[in-house]
Amino acid sequence: MSNITPLRRAPTTGGVGTGKMTAATTTTAGQKYHQHSTSILKTLQATEMLDTKPVLPAEIIATILDYLPVPDLLRFARTSRRYKEMVYDDTRWVARLKSMGVWDEAEARKRFEEAVQRRRQQTISSGVGRGQPIPPPSPTGTTKRESLFFDADLEQERRQHELLQIQLQKQQISDLRDGFETMKVSGGGSGGEPPRDVEGLLLVVKNARSIRGHARQEYGRIYGALAPFYFDLVRARTHTDPLVFKVFRDPDRQARMLANLRSFARSDWADGAEGRREKLEGMTGIFESAVLREFEQGYEFWDVDGRMKKYAHVLEVLNPGSSAGVELFIQKHPIFADREVLANAMDCVNQAMADSITLEPSRRFFEVLGRKVNEQGEIIGRIFPRPQRVFWGFVDKVREEIMVEYITPLFDDAHQRSIPSYLRAVSGIFEQTMLFLRTLTPPKGGEVDQEAKAKEIALRIFEPHIDLYFQDEIDTFTAQAEREVGEWEKKLSEQEASAESFYMGSFANRQADKKDFLTSFKKVVMMPVTVLPTSLGLPIGSPFASSKPAATAAANGGPSTPSRAGSPAPAGTPGDRASSPLPGKAFADELAAKAALMTSRLEGIKSLFSIEVALSLVHGAKASLGRVAVFIQLGGQVGGEAREMCETIFVTLLRILGNGHVKPGFDKAVTHLSQYNPREVSEHEKGGVAPLVTFIELVNVGDLISQMIDVFYEQQLAQPKIADRNDFLDPAGMAKKKFEQMLDESVAAGLNKGIDVLMDEVEYICATTQSPTDYNPGGISAPDSILSGTIPGMEKAPAPKPPAGAIDMDIGPSKTAQRIKDLVASHTSMLVGSTDKSMLDVFNGEVGLRLFTAVCKHLKRQRISTEGAIKLIADMNLYFEYIRTLKNKDLLAYFKALRELSQIYLIDAKHAKEMATIIADGDRFGGIFRAEEVYEYAERRADWYQVKREVERAMYGLECCVM
């Protein structure tokens, strides 16, 4: 950039970026003309401009200035105005204040905003009128309107004001030059005497202000106060030479000044700064060592409130956050040699029973240790200025030297002796450790989160044992649960084998005896007579006796094997089946033995799985989960692993309980139900189908187990926030849903088989209890007995004919229908409350349809007279009213059609045409029965052969009319 100047000599030291202006004449004639002419225009025309450029760019010069000593910066600022601007740049001094750690940007911003706000208020208050623009002030301080006229008073006042400003500037220059207090700069600031205000020297760094535009003044004030001490200490040869130890005699003040000098040294960027800082650090180290010796002497005499407190504060002032005094206090503390604290961890094992552990000695250990540590915490608060940091450092040392040395050997020994004892020891001592850390009383004077600190220390103690403990916990629970389920299954198998051996042993032994007899007989025939007694080992005269003593007992009807009435027989609990004791003697007939064995198995359905076993597994899972859950509070990775382990325990519980205990029980129950044959059961008067009743009891037990699992999940997992019930991907929630699904499927399979059993019982009751005279009170003929109803193998004697002229006045339902209704109703009501509504509706609907089929099948086996139709209608009404209670509209339509069907038997033989109309009316039966099917039911009328011709003729006529 170039400047146009009149003909004059340009300065030799121009600012960076400015050009040097020189004037030269172009010709000799021009020079002569310039000497004699006074015309300024001619002179300007003869002027020639020459541009010059600086030697170095401004950026490089600015960087060089950063490494100059402060006195050299002041000299450089005096060379030119542009250099002065570079030296006085506020950012240069802000950087030095920041290196010292005394510049607060937030404070500077706040001060700047406050200054801007004050200027705005002053501008508003000095306005000429409300709503009028404020004219800019003139150099004389008057507005443009006032300057239009001359005012002698204002002019005099202006001149006086200018003279006053000049005097003030001269005074400020004499007191403060270039923003620094007056001092000698030639000797690097070492020749100046320290100010008399000694306290102000100590506070010069602390009282530094952060003001934008005044950073140079603030740094100059600090430099003027600390530079003499700084450079004097650097030149000192021994620790007695520095001025700082002569001016300040108190160790606290000496430490404060040394701390200020260390802060000031960080702003020393000149050549040799590293050496000066090393010299300062060395002198500071000598001073710190002397202070530590004084602190140690006070420690030896336990002068808590004297030298220990004094020199602990000196160390803190000298080096905030220093750990030298703290480490000395902790390392030499007498608590680490206190016999009252150093207890024997093996007392927990030695004072307990074999393969067990007691945590009472460990509780006493933590109680004594907590009391001792709290006493030292109170002492620490009296000594150190920041006691909480020292206290938690002391606690950490206690953890390392005392707690770990107590806990680790105990865990190792317990793990070798007994895994259950080890699991109880880890969880129990962890809880005692957390209680110990939470009951500590830290000294006041800090903001350390005690809970977070307690978790951190506990984690450092137990982290080496966590992985092994978690693995042993899940392995132990899994082995225990599988062992309990296996013992239950073993007892069931032994009981079942005992029952089968008892019931079938006699018959099997008879077959074996028969085979042995034939073998012996063959040997007798083939051998000489003289060797018979000796070769067979039989008494003489008994050549045909059995070769086994058991054959004789079997021939007499006694059991070949001893009775096993006392063998394990689970009935609610393993080893106790009072409901189905074994009979006193064996069965001679194979069919009877099989029937008795089947009855025993069916009666034992309800004991195929046990609620006691489920309860034992749940209690085991609760104990294991409770031990693991205490580690969740640690948070972080260990807390997450503990949470996952709790869910793993729950998943393992459902896997073993569901797939290992409940599901096999249901599978066996379904197998036993499929083997049920009502024709082989001698007793049918118990008010229900025994195997189905026991299976429903088994369903109730399964429902109770399901509710138990649900309560366990809510209380142990959901409420403590271990598992999230709203997370569909949560492992515990998924396992719970899978268990419930398995239970529903098993119940559904059993109920499906139970419906078959129930309907078999219904058909059996219909075939064996329905008297032919119920629906045909007029009598029964020989051909009708074949059609009426008896299933082969279930024949019964025909009922006697009623006396001539006798009238049956009972118009209610038959006993068979009442019994069937009670049987079905009792079984459907058993499921209320034990299964969900959807499954119950499906079950009731299936039972209703199967009952409808069984009743229709039964009707086709009966002969129904007009008089017996009344009882038939009563039976159908009974079924209809029962189905109404199930609240199933679709199912109700079937029995409504069945009730309408029973009306055809009430029509007199004289009205055959009306009978045909009813038979052909498909709408009357709601589409349930077709005309062909209704015709088949009509054939069961007792007088059908009398009305058949008329009915068929009428139906044919109806068909012709329709066509």
Side-chain angles (χ1 to χ4, degrees), residues 27 47 56 72 79 89 97 128 167 240 380 431 481 512 519 560 654 662 672 706 753 763 771 810 961:
T27 61
T47 302
L56 293 175
D72 292 345
T79 57
D89 185 11
L97 292 176
V128 295
Q167 293 177 359
T240 59
I380 289 172
E431 291 184 295
T519 304
S560 61
L654 296 185
V662 175
H672 293 340
S706 177
K753 186 60 64 176
E763 293 182 0
S771 174
D810 185 11
C961 293

PDB file of all heavy atoms in Angstrom, residues 27 47 56 72 79 89 97 128 167 240 380 431 481 512 519 560 654 662 672 706 753 763 771 810 961:
ATOM      1  N   THR A  27      14.194  16.427 -13.744  1.00  0.00           N
ATOM      2  CA  THR A  27      15.234  17.072 -14.574  1.00  0.00           C
ATOM      3  C   THR A  27      15.918  18.174 -13.775  1.00  0.00           C
ATOM      4  O   THR A  27      15.398  18.635 -12.743  1.00  0.00           O
ATOM      5  CB  THR A  27      14.633  17.664 -15.851  1.00  0.00           C
ATOM      6  OG1 THR A  27      13.674  18.647 -15.470  1.00  0.00           O
ATOM      7  CG2 THR A  27      13.936  16.576 -16.688  1.00  0.00           C
ATOM      8  N   THR A  47       6.531  15.833  -8.241  1.00  0.00           N
ATOM      9  CA  THR A  47       6.760  14.774  -7.249  1.00  0.00           C
ATOM     10  C   THR A  47       6.629  13.402  -7.899  1.00  0.00           C
ATOM     11  O   THR A  47       5.732  13.166  -8.696  1.00  0.00           O
ATOM     12  CB  THR A  47       5.766  14.903  -6.107  1.00  0.00           C
ATOM     13  OG1 THR A  47       5.910  16.185  -5.514  1.00  0.00           O
ATOM     14  CG2 THR A  47       6.007  13.826  -5.055  1.00  0.00           C
ATOM     15  N   LEU A  56      10.259  -8.519   6.229  1.00  0.00           N
ATOM     16  CA  LEU A  56       9.583  -9.733   6.703  1.00  0.00           C
ATOM     17  C   LEU A  56       8.079  -9.522   6.702  1.00  0.00           C
ATOM     18  O   LEU A  56       7.599  -8.408   6.977  1.00  0.00           O
ATOM     19  CB  LEU A  56      10.045 -10.096   8.113  1.00  0.00           C
ATOM     20  CG  LEU A  56      11.511 -10.529   8.258  1.00  0.00           C
ATOM     21  CD1 LEU A  56      11.833 -10.730   9.736  1.00  0.00           C
ATOM     22  CD2 LEU A  56      11.761 -11.814   7.479  1.00  0.00           C
ATOM     23  N   ASP A  72      12.255  -6.573  26.123  1.00  0.00           N
ATOM     24  CA  ASP A  72      12.502  -6.409  24.683  1.00  0.00           C
ATOM     25  C   ASP A  72      11.215  -6.050  23.952  1.00  0.00           C
ATOM     26  O   ASP A  72      11.247  -5.316  22.952  1.00  0.00           O
ATOM     27  CB  ASP A  72      13.094  -7.688  24.112  1.00  0.00           C
ATOM     28  CG  ASP A  72      14.502  -7.938  24.631  1.00  0.00           C
ATOM     29  OD1 ASP A  72      15.100  -6.997  25.191  1.00  0.00           O
ATOM     30  OD2 ASP A  72      14.978  -9.087  24.515  1.00  0.00           O
ATOM     31  N   THR A  79       9.782   1.547  18.648  1.00  0.00           N
ATOM     32  CA  THR A  79      10.419   1.806  17.354  1.00  0.00           C
ATOM     33  C   THR A  79       9.477   2.445  16.365  1.00  0.00           C
ATOM     34  O   THR A  79       9.907   3.285  15.558  1.00  0.00           O
ATOM     35  CB  THR A  79      10.952   0.494  16.779  1.00  0.00           C
ATOM     36  OG1 THR A  79       9.879  -0.438  16.670  1.00  0.00           O
ATOM     37  CG2 THR A  79      12.036  -0.087  17.686  1.00  0.00           C
ATOM     38  N   ASP A  89      -1.328  -5.507  21.025  1.00  0.00           N
ATOM     39  CA  ASP A  89      -2.475  -6.343  20.646  1.00  0.00           C
ATOM     40  C   ASP A  89      -2.973  -7.138  21.866  1.00  0.00           C
ATOM     41  O   ASP A  89      -2.199  -7.847  22.528  1.00  0.00           O
ATOM     42  CB  ASP A  89      -2.062  -7.298  19.525  1.00  0.00           C
ATOM     43  CG  ASP A  89      -3.242  -8.109  19.013  1.00  0.00           C
ATOM     44  OD1 ASP A  89      -4.398  -7.780  19.375  1.00  0.00           O
ATOM     45  OD2 ASP A  89      -3.003  -9.093  18.299  1.00  0.00           O
ATOM     46  N   LEU A  97      -1.961 -14.585  29.916  1.00  0.00           N
ATOM     47  CA  LEU A  97      -2.802 -14.774  31.105  1.00  0.00           C
ATOM     48  C   LEU A  97      -3.434 -16.173  31.107  1.00  0.00           C
ATOM     49  O   LEU A  97      -3.575 -16.799  32.156  1.00  0.00           O
ATOM     50  CB  LEU A  97      -3.885 -13.703  31.152  1.00  0.00           C
ATOM     51  CG  LEU A  97      -3.397 -12.269  31.408  1.00  0.00           C
ATOM     52  CD1 LEU A  97      -4.557 -11.290  31.332  1.00  0.00           C
ATOM     53  CD2 LEU A  97      -2.713 -12.171  32.773  1.00  0.00           C
ATOM     54  N   VAL A 128     -30.980  14.267  22.613  1.00  0.00           N
ATOM     55  CA  VAL A 128     -31.535  15.628  22.603  1.00  0.00           C
ATOM     56  C   VAL A 128     -33.032  15.639  22.728  1.00  0.00           C
ATOM     57  O   VAL A 128     -33.634  16.632  23.090  1.00  0.00           O
ATOM     58  CB  VAL A 128     -31.112  16.350  21.311  1.00  0.00           C
ATOM     59  CG1 VAL A 128     -29.615  16.532  21.280  1.00  0.00           C
ATOM     60  CG2 VAL A 128     -31.581  15.571  20.072  1.00  0.00           C
ATOM     61  N   GLN A 167      -2.772  17.338  31.135  1.00  0.00           N
ATOM     62  CA  GLN A 167      -2.091  17.138  32.410  1.00  0.00           C
ATOM     63  C   GLN A 167      -2.306  15.714  32.944  1.00  0.00           C
ATOM     64  O   GLN A 167      -1.378  15.071  33.451  1.00  0.00           O
ATOM     65  CB  GLN A 167      -2.580  18.167  33.438  1.00  0.00           C
ATOM     66  CG  GLN A 167      -2.176  19.591  33.085  1.00  0.00           C
ATOM     67  CD  GLN A 167      -2.745  20.602  34.086  1.00  0.00           C
ATOM     68  OE1 GLN A 167      -3.449  20.217  35.016  1.00  0.00           O
ATOM     69  NE2 GLN A 167      -2.442  21.875  33.878  1.00  0.00           N
ATOM     70  N   THR A 240      19.284 -20.613  50.294  1.00  0.00           N
ATOM     71  CA  THR A 240      19.166 -19.469  51.209  1.00  0.00           C
ATOM     72  C   THR A 240      19.279 -18.138  50.492  1.00  0.00           C
ATOM     73  O   THR A 240      19.037 -17.089  51.095  1.00  0.00           O
ATOM     74  CB  THR A 240      20.251 -19.560  52.287  1.00  0.00           C
ATOM     75  OG1 THR A 240      21.542 -19.563  51.669  1.00  0.00           O
ATOM     76  CG2 THR A 240      20.066 -20.835  53.121  1.00  0.00           C
ATOM     77  N   ILE A 380      -8.597 -36.967  60.015  1.00  0.00           N
ATOM     78  CA  ILE A 380      -8.231 -36.458  58.689  1.00  0.00           C
ATOM     79  C   ILE A 380      -8.896 -35.108  58.434  1.00  0.00           C
ATOM     80  O   ILE A 380      -8.298 -34.202  57.849  1.00  0.00           O
ATOM     81  CB  ILE A 380      -8.616 -37.485  57.613  1.00  0.00           C
ATOM     82  CG1 ILE A 380      -7.692 -38.701  57.694  1.00  0.00           C
ATOM     83  CG2 ILE A 380      -8.548 -36.883  56.219  1.00  0.00           C
ATOM     84  CD1 ILE A 380      -8.104 -39.856  56.802  1.00  0.00           C
ATOM     85  N   GLU A 431     -22.558 -58.082  50.601  1.00  0.00           N
ATOM     86  CA  GLU A 431     -23.534 -57.226  51.270  1.00  0.00           C
ATOM     87  C   GLU A 431     -22.940 -56.580  52.519  1.00  0.00           C
ATOM     88  O   GLU A 431     -23.195 -55.398  52.797  1.00  0.00           O
ATOM     89  CB  GLU A 431     -24.775 -58.051  51.645  1.00  0.00           C
ATOM     90  CG  GLU A 431     -25.604 -58.493  50.452  1.00  0.00           C
ATOM     91  CD  GLU A 431     -26.855 -59.226  50.852  1.00  0.00           C
ATOM     92  OE1 GLU A 431     -26.740 -60.324  51.428  1.00  0.00           O
ATOM     93  OE2 GLU A 431     -27.950 -58.696  50.604  1.00  0.00           O
ATOM     94  N   ALA A 481     -31.484 -78.500  40.591  1.00  0.00           N
ATOM     95  CA  ALA A 481     -32.821 -78.650  40.019  1.00  0.00           C
ATOM     96  C   ALA A 481     -32.949 -79.966  39.249  1.00  0.00           C
ATOM     97  O   ALA A 481     -33.952 -80.683  39.391  1.00  0.00           O
ATOM     98  CB  ALA A 481     -33.125 -77.457  39.107  1.00  0.00           C
ATOM     99  N   ALA A 512     -44.408-118.881  33.431  1.00  0.00           N
ATOM    100  CA  ALA A 512     -43.064-119.435  33.594  1.00  0.00           C
ATOM    101  C   ALA A 512     -43.106-120.798  34.260  1.00  0.00           C
ATOM    102  O   ALA A 512     -42.363-121.722  33.882  1.00  0.00           O
ATOM    103  CB  ALA A 512     -42.204-118.465  34.400  1.00  0.00           C
ATOM    104  N   THR A 519     -40.913-128.419  30.634  1.00  0.00           N
ATOM    105  CA  THR A 519     -39.502-128.771  30.462  1.00  0.00           C
ATOM    106  C   THR A 519     -39.125-129.947  31.362  1.00  0.00           C
ATOM    107  O   THR A 519     -38.439-130.898  30.950  1.00  0.00           O
ATOM    108  CB  THR A 519     -38.622-127.551  30.761  1.00  0.00           C
ATOM    109  OG1 THR A 519     -39.013-126.470  29.925  1.00  0.00           O
ATOM    110  CG2 THR A 519     -37.148-127.867  30.536  1.00  0.00           C
ATOM    111  N   SER A 560     -46.173-114.949  43.670  1.00  0.00           N
ATOM    112  CA  SER A 560     -44.858-115.556  43.518  1.00  0.00           C
ATOM    113  C   SER A 560     -43.762-114.644  44.024  1.00  0.00           C
ATOM    114  O   SER A 560     -42.654-115.074  44.238  1.00  0.00           O
ATOM    115  CB  SER A 560     -44.608-115.908  42.046  1.00  0.00           C
ATOM    116  OG  SER A 560     -44.641-114.725  41.277  1.00  0.00           O
ATOM    117  N   LEU A 654     -37.391 -72.436  34.302  1.00  0.00           N
ATOM    118  CA  LEU A 654     -38.523 -72.794  33.440  1.00  0.00           C
ATOM    119  C   LEU A 654     -38.175 -73.970  32.532  1.00  0.00           C
ATOM    120  O   LEU A 654     -39.041 -74.798  32.240  1.00  0.00           O
ATOM    121  CB  LEU A 654     -38.937 -71.576  32.609  1.00  0.00           C
ATOM    122  CG  LEU A 654     -39.463 -70.370  33.397  1.00  0.00           C
ATOM    123  CD1 LEU A 654     -39.957 -69.297  32.442  1.00  0.00           C
ATOM    124  CD2 LEU A 654     -40.574 -70.764  34.347  1.00  0.00           C
ATOM    125  N   VAL A 662     -42.958 -80.895  34.147  1.00  0.00           N
ATOM    126  CA  VAL A 662     -44.387 -80.721  33.868  1.00  0.00           C
ATOM    127  C   VAL A 662     -44.760 -81.396  32.541  1.00  0.00           C
ATOM    128  O   VAL A 662     -45.728 -82.163  32.480  1.00  0.00           O
ATOM    129  CB  VAL A 662     -44.736 -79.221  33.848  1.00  0.00           C
ATOM    130  CG1 VAL A 662     -46.188 -79.028  33.435  1.00  0.00           C
ATOM    131  CG2 VAL A 662     -44.490 -78.612  35.226  1.00  0.00           C
ATOM    132  N   HIS A 672     -51.783 -92.446  29.491  1.00  0.00           N
ATOM    133  CA  HIS A 672     -52.647 -93.249  30.355  1.00  0.00           C
ATOM    134  C   HIS A 672     -54.117 -93.052  30.001  1.00  0.00           C
ATOM    135  O   HIS A 672     -54.910 -94.005  30.039  1.00  0.00           O
ATOM    136  CB  HIS A 672     -52.404 -92.879  31.819  1.00  0.00           C
ATOM    137  CG  HIS A 672     -51.040 -93.271  32.315  1.00  0.00           C
ATOM    138  ND1 HIS A 672     -50.270 -94.219  31.692  1.00  0.00           N
ATOM    139  CD2 HIS A 672     -50.310 -92.826  33.378  1.00  0.00           C
ATOM    140  CE1 HIS A 672     -49.126 -94.355  32.336  1.00  0.00           C
ATOM    141  NE2 HIS A 672     -49.118 -93.510  33.366  1.00  0.00           N
ATOM    142  N   SER A 706     -48.230 -72.574  37.184  1.00  0.00           N
ATOM    143  CA  SER A 706     -48.137 -71.414  36.293  1.00  0.00           C
ATOM    144  C   SER A 706     -48.327 -70.108  37.062  1.00  0.00           C
ATOM    145  O   SER A 706     -47.604 -69.134  36.842  1.00  0.00           O
ATOM    146  CB  SER A 706     -49.172 -71.532  35.172  1.00  0.00           C
ATOM    147  OG  SER A 706     -49.143 -70.397  34.336  1.00  0.00           O
ATOM    148  N   LYS A 753     -57.826 -85.625  24.705  1.00  0.00           N
ATOM    149  CA  LYS A 753     -57.939 -87.043  25.035  1.00  0.00           C
ATOM    150  C   LYS A 753     -58.976 -87.271  26.133  1.00  0.00           C
ATOM    151  O   LYS A 753     -59.690 -88.285  26.140  1.00  0.00           O
ATOM    152  CB  LYS A 753     -56.571 -87.564  25.486  1.00  0.00           C
ATOM    153  CG  LYS A 753     -56.518 -89.059  25.710  1.00  0.00           C
ATOM    154  CD  LYS A 753     -56.856 -89.828  24.431  1.00  0.00           C
ATOM    155  CE  LYS A 753     -55.837 -89.575  23.349  1.00  0.00           C
ATOM    156  NZ  LYS A 753     -56.105 -90.401  22.131  1.00  0.00           N
ATOM    157  N   GLU A 763     -71.194 -92.942  26.390  1.00  0.00           N
ATOM    158  CA  GLU A 763     -71.747 -94.039  25.600  1.00  0.00           C
ATOM    159  C   GLU A 763     -71.909 -95.298  26.443  1.00  0.00           C
ATOM    160  O   GLU A 763     -72.895 -96.039  26.282  1.00  0.00           O
ATOM    161  CB  GLU A 763     -70.839 -94.312  24.402  1.00  0.00           C
ATOM    162  CG  GLU A 763     -70.818 -93.181  23.382  1.00  0.00           C
ATOM    163  CD  GLU A 763     -69.943 -93.503  22.199  1.00  0.00           C
ATOM    164  OE1 GLU A 763     -69.350 -94.616  22.191  1.00  0.00           O
ATOM    165  OE2 GLU A 763     -69.832 -92.658  21.287  1.00  0.00           O
ATOM    166  N   SER A 771     -82.803 -98.058  30.297  1.00  0.00           N
ATOM    167  CA  SER A 771     -83.743 -99.186  30.213  1.00  0.00           C
ATOM    168  C   SER A 771     -84.588 -99.073  28.945  1.00  0.00           C
ATOM    169  O   SER A 771     -84.998 -97.970  28.565  1.00  0.00           O
ATOM    170  CB  SER A 771     -84.651 -99.183  31.447  1.00  0.00           C
ATOM    171  OG  SER A 771     -85.642-100.175  31.332  1.00  0.00           O
ATOM    172  N   ASP A 810     -94.256 -90.826  35.926  1.00  0.00           N
ATOM    173  CA  ASP A 810     -93.030 -90.024  35.940  1.00  0.00           C
ATOM    174  C   ASP A 810     -92.803 -89.427  34.564  1.00  0.00           C
ATOM    175  O   ASP A 810     -92.504 -90.150  33.606  1.00  0.00           O
ATOM    176  CB  ASP A 810     -91.844 -90.908  36.349  1.00  0.00           C
ATOM    177  CG  ASP A 810     -90.571 -90.091  36.500  1.00  0.00           C
ATOM    178  OD1 ASP A 810     -90.656 -88.836  36.494  1.00  0.00           O
ATOM    179  OD2 ASP A 810     -89.492 -90.702  36.616  1.00  0.00           O
ATOM    180  N   CYS A 961     -95.551 -82.477  -5.194  1.00  0.00           N
ATOM    181  CA  CYS A 961     -96.051 -81.097  -5.154  1.00  0.00           C
ATOM    182  C   CYS A 961     -94.934 -80.099  -5.349  1.00  0.00           C
ATOM    183  O   CYS A 961     -95.087 -79.072  -6.017  1.00  0.00           O
ATOM    184  CB  CYS A 961     -96.790 -80.839  -3.841  1.00  0.00           C
ATOM    185  SG  CYS A 961     -98.316 -81.775  -3.673  1.00  0.00           S
TER     186      CYS A 961
END
